[in-house]
Amino acid sequence: MTAGPLRADPGTLLVEAAGPRPPLDYYLVLAEPNPAAEVEGIVVEEFARHANFSTAGLDSAGWTPSGDGWWSSASFSRSMRTDRELLARVVPTSRGGAERVHRQLGGGQLPVEAVLRTYFRDHQPFTTAPPLRLGPAQPPSGFHDRRVYRVLFAKDLREDQLANLRTLWQPAVDGAPRSPGSVVAGHRDQGGDRFAWDVRRVGRGLAWCLDVTVLLRTTATGTLGATLYELTNVMRRHGLIPVTTERFA
């Protein structure tokens, strides 16, 4: 597990979405692609968001027991999503899991998230574009806005992971037919707003995506951001690595 050079770009402008900051994402990097393999290091990440919750960029920091403290490398985070050998060794975990490994490997207490963010020194900006139009332009009666988001993921889902997602989300569908191509679907109403989502393969089966359709009756954008994070994190905890969030409408 090798860190890239530290680079800080003071000219990078990040546009933060409204609402409280979600927790960081934690990953373990194994020495080899085997669930029982030794842990080689820990990676902590955070996506920067535009005000509409699409991805503006990615910050990350890594730690290895043999290294000299925490390091930051945008190229390593890119490789976590594109290098098949590295992908096979990256395992999403919770903060509690990262804390246990950090202690076991001799790092002591894992720093709080405010401190971990100070180790983000190599920001990876994402190319932005106006939202594509996917579906009808006007929301249904009673709603003031309709949005469609697509969250792309690297890695693959095993059959048992898909089964777990269906157990978690499928009862909420109430027998409604899934959209073409989806393998898991769910929906919920929250505070008057309506969320519906589908999980499907994309890119000729090379990746997975989570498509979320949002009908807004309220102006509580914090609820929208929290729901997108929650759904994305469920997928992450089932083994996938989020790549980007795009807005289609």
Side-chain angles (χ1 to χ4, degrees), residues 1-4 6 24-29 40-46 59-74 76-77 80 102 105 110-111 115-122:
M1 183 176 180
T2 305
L6 297 181
L24 300 176
D25 295 335
Y26 296 86
Y27 299 92
L28 304 180
V29 182
E40 191 176 61
I42 299 170
V43 173
V44 182
E45 293 188 335
E46 180 175 53
D59 290 292
S60 66
W63 177 86
T64 53
S66 58
D68 183 19
W70 288 81
W71 47 265
S72 183
S73 171
F76 188 84
S77 279
M80 279 176 51
H102 195 255
L105 295 181
L110 185 69
V115 173
L116 288 173
R117 287 186 175 98
T118 68
Y119 304 141
F120 296 159
R121 305 183 186 98
D122 193 11

Side-chain angles (χ1 to χ4, degrees), residues 136-192:
Q138 297 300 318
S141 177
F143 298 92
H144 68 83
D145 194 9
R146 177 184 182 274
R147 301 186 185 188
V148 179
Y149 291 91
R150 170 165 288 182
V151 188
L152 290 173
F153 297 88
K155 297 200 75 166
D156 202 1
L157 286 169
R158 303 189 307 267
E159 283 302 319
D160 62 306
Q161 292 168 329
L162 276 172
N164 288 339
L165 284 171
R166 293 190 184 104
T167 299
L168 179 65
W169 284 340
Q170 211 61 45
V173 178
D174 297 330
R178 293 196 293 260
S179 62
S182 71
V183 296
V184 182
H187 73 76
R188 74 165 62 142
D189 291 337
Q190 189 162 337

Side-chain angles (χ1 to χ4, degrees), residues 169-245:
W169 284 340
Q170 211 61 45
V173 178
D174 297 330
R178 293 196 293 260
S179 62
S182 71
V183 296
V184 182
H187 73 76
R188 74 165 62 142
D189 291 337
Q190 189 162 337
D193 300 326
R194 185 169 299 168
F195 300 86
W197 57 91
D198 295 277
V199 176
R200 70 187 75 235
R201 284 186 179 274
V202 291
R204 298 182 180 179
L206 298 178
W208 288 87
C209 76
L210 172 71
D211 287 342
V212 184
T213 300
V214 185
L215 298 177
L216 295 176
R217 196 187 306 270
T218 73
T219 58
T221 56
T223 300
L224 169 56
T227 301
L228 285 173
Y229 174 82
E230 175 196 340
L231 296 175
T232 301
N233 198 46
V234 169
M235 297 286 286
R236 196 184 69 84
R237 294 296 299 274
H238 280 74
L240 298 183
I241 300 177
V243 176
T244 188
T245 300

Side-chain angles (χ1 to χ4, degrees), residues 71-110:
W71 47 265
S72 183
S73 171
S75 62
F76 188 84
S77 279
R78 288 195 300 271
S79 296
M80 279 176 51
R81 292 157 171 83
T82 58
D83 184 288
R84 297 180 71 88
E85 190 276 334
L86 180 57
L87 265 173
R89 297 191 290 118
V90 176
V91 180
T93 189
S94 63
R95 177 174 172 87
E99 287 175 331
R100 288 190 295 273
V101 169
H102 195 255
R103 287 194 300 269
Q104 290 168 0
L105 295 181
Q109 183 173 350
L110 185 69

